[in-house]
Amino acid sequence: MSRAQIVGWSHSHFGKAEAPDTESLIAGILAPALEHAGVSAEDVDGIFVGVFNAGFSRQDFQAALVALADERLCHTPAIRYENACATGSAALYGAMDFIESGRGRIALVVGAEKMTATPTAEVGDILLGASYVKEEADVPAGFAGLFGQIAQGYFQRYGDQSDALAMIAAKNHANGMANPYAHMRKDFGFEFCNTPSDKNPHVAGPLRRTDCSLVSDGAAILVLADEETAKDLKRAIAFRARVQANDFLPMSRRDVLEFAGARKAWSGALQGAGLTLDDLSFVETHDCFTVAEMLEYEAMGLAERGQGHRVIREGITRKDGKLPVNPSGGLKSKGHPIGATGVSMHVMAAMQLAGEAGDMAVPNAKIAGVFNMGGVAVANYCSILERVK
């Protein structure tokens, strides 16, 4: 079996875009992705599109929009994926399955979302569609309300860790200063993040505005090729392992503080790669809320349950720490256009490994971990990447 490898990419700026819709966002970065990979539209055998939508736009059937940006893709098979906030990773893994089954040599993975044109209250309602609606749809403040409950439960069990969450927020905003694609390139500092104020109010439970990721527009594209094709191209980033692990959708069916699905995805990926956390150069993880990043420290094995706060306090995940986490600034600084996020995270990792990360660069980065989740740790995707060319 010929493994799928990343051979090129492109990435829009995340934020409040002038582009009116996902069609325009995709069109703006399609040609740069093909150019970066050194392939043409005629070479593409399949198109895999991640767009959550769920009410952000009347236009659905969005896999068919890619060909409007380049008519040479008119007859190329295209399919759209949706898996909550892991929509982009679902599209990526689908494209990899396509290549590794031998059905194609080159595939495009497109992730996009247009969110800021939707009123804020409606955004919350749309995103709650990724919760278990029968039990969770009436939670105040949308998904922030769900993660506010998680933070409150964690604090009740393990003590108030508000300052640790502020440290995570401050770290990621500081890292985002070096990311030219980031929605919010502003170093707020720990004191601002840790102090509730008119500019940083509580949003849900103990979570403040700086604990919550941003509503953003944006798109990202990965170009994949099989190993034989990649040999003739400029660069190749391989997957040492990739694992998806799910968990129950209702929070009532599990101990939500365990992040059991995330733990299973991480352990499976590391085992499949034949590596430990000590072998990783950095991690891009899903910090939709700062408490999520803290729980993911525990899920990936950096700390025992209830001890994730020690990881940030000890500086382990700082850019100059033992295992930098979110050197891109993460969702917290970069933004979180739902369908684009999983693709973006893999682009950020590939840029580091290819030596193309500019000021974001982690020195001598060799192996990366990427963790993207959909819902409250329901659909969990973990990839281990390394440069082979």
Side-chain angles (χ1 to χ4, degrees):
M1 178 178 66
S2 183
R3 299 286 186 181
Q5 299 179 342
I6 298 170
V7 296
W9 53 80
S10 61
H11 199 293
S12 79
H13 182 267
F14 281 6
K16 188 171 184 178
E18 294 183 2
D21 48 32
T22 53
E23 179 183 342
S24 301
L25 287 165
I26 294 166
I29 62 169
L30 178 58
L34 295 170
E35 181 180 359
H36 187 253
V39 302
S40 69
E42 291 93 343
D43 297 322
V44 176
D45 300 309
I47 303 169
F48 298 78
V49 178
V51 177
F52 178 67
N53 198 13
F56 286 123
S57 169
R58 288 188 62 197
Q59 177 65 63
D60 223 322
F61 194 23
Q62 297 209 14
L65 298 178
V66 180
L68 299 182
D70 190 323
E71 63 182 17
R72 294 174 295 175
L73 296 171
C74 174
H75 300 298
T76 305
I79 187 168
R80 175 237 178 153
Y81 286 71
E82 182 278 309
N83 216 11
C85 298
T87 287
S89 291
L92 169 60
Y93 283 22
M96 294 180 70
D97 290 343
F98 171 77
I99 288 175
E100 292 172 1
S101 71
R103 293 174 56 209
R105 298 180 304 107
I106 295 177
L108 289 180
V109 183
V110 182
E113 211 73 61
K114 176 70 179 182
M115 301 175 71
T116 67
T118 303
T120 302
E122 292 182 29
V123 171
D125 287 340
I126 289 170
L127 295 180
L128 274 174
S131 69
Y132 187 54
V133 173
K134 289 181 180 180
E135 296 177 1
E136 300 160 6
D138 294 328
V139 171
F143 249 81
L146 296 178
F147 277 89
Q149 291 181 358
I150 291 170
Q152 190 63 52
Y154 191 96
F155 292 1
Q156 289 172 352
R157 190 179 298 182
Y158 302 115
D160 189 331
Q161 308 299 336
S162 296
D163 57 340
L165 300 189
M167 291 176 190
I168 291 171
K171 167 184 71 72
N172 290 349
H173 277 292
N175 289 349
M177 291 286 288
N179 187 347
Y181 303 109
H183 184 157
M184 187 170 289
R185 298 177 71 186
K186 186 172 182 178
D187 186 355
F188 287 104
F190 168 72
E191 289 301 329
F192 179 85
C193 294
N194 195 44
T195 306
S197 65
D198 290 343
K199 293 185 177 180
N200 189 28
H202 281 104
V203 175
L207 298 181
R208 299 141 299 196
R209 183 176 291 163
T210 50
D211 292 308
C212 307
S213 60
L214 300 157
V215 173
S216 310
D217 309 327
I221 296 178
L222 288 162
V223 183
L224 304 183
D226 63 21
E227 290 171 294
E228 286 302 311
T229 303
K231 288 178 181 178
D232 296 325
L233 300 175
K234 181 178 179 180
R235 67 186 63 77
I237 308 298
F239 288 72
R240 283 280 292 257
R242 59 180 175 107
V243 171
Q244 179 190 354
N246 268 49
D247 206 341
F248 283 118
L249 178 59
M251 291 167 58
S252 63
R253 293 288 301 274
R254 53 196 166 107
D255 179 356
V256 73
L257 301 185
E258 186 180 359
F259 266 39
R263 190 178 299 270
K264 189 173 182 64
W266 264 108
S267 62
L270 288 170
Q271 181 178 0
L275 300 173
T276 70
L277 287 177
D278 290 337
D279 297 308
L280 302 184
S281 304
F282 68 94
V283 166
E284 287 288 335
T285 201
H286 193 101
D287 60 322
C288 50
F289 300 92
T290 53
V291 68
E293 180 166 327
M294 187 168 69
L295 284 166
E296 287 155 20
Y297 293 162
E298 299 173 13
M300 72 175 74
L302 278 176
E304 297 296 323
R305 291 189 63 186
Q307 298 299 309
H309 59 94
R310 296 179 60 182
V311 174
I312 189 65
R313 294 185 199 282
E314 295 170 10
I316 293 170
T317 55
R318 291 173 57 90
K319 193 171 180 179
D320 59 356
K322 182 179 179 182
L323 181 61
V325 172
N326 287 333
S328 70
L331 285 57
K332 186 68 209 60
S333 173
K334 178 161 57 77
H336 186 19
I338 305 298
T341 289
V343 181
S344 169
M345 296 173 80
H346 285 84
V347 169
M348 293 293 121
M351 289 173 67
Q352 292 277 3
L353 297 174
E356 300 177 27
D359 291 340
M360 288 188 292
V362 173
N364 303 311
K366 299 288 191 272
I367 301 178
V370 178
F371 175 75
N372 177 210
M373 71 180 184
V376 183
V378 176
N380 303 277
Y381 293 77
C382 189
S383 305
I384 307 296
L385 305 178
E386 67 177 345
R387 181 178 181 175
V388 293
K389 182 181 179 184

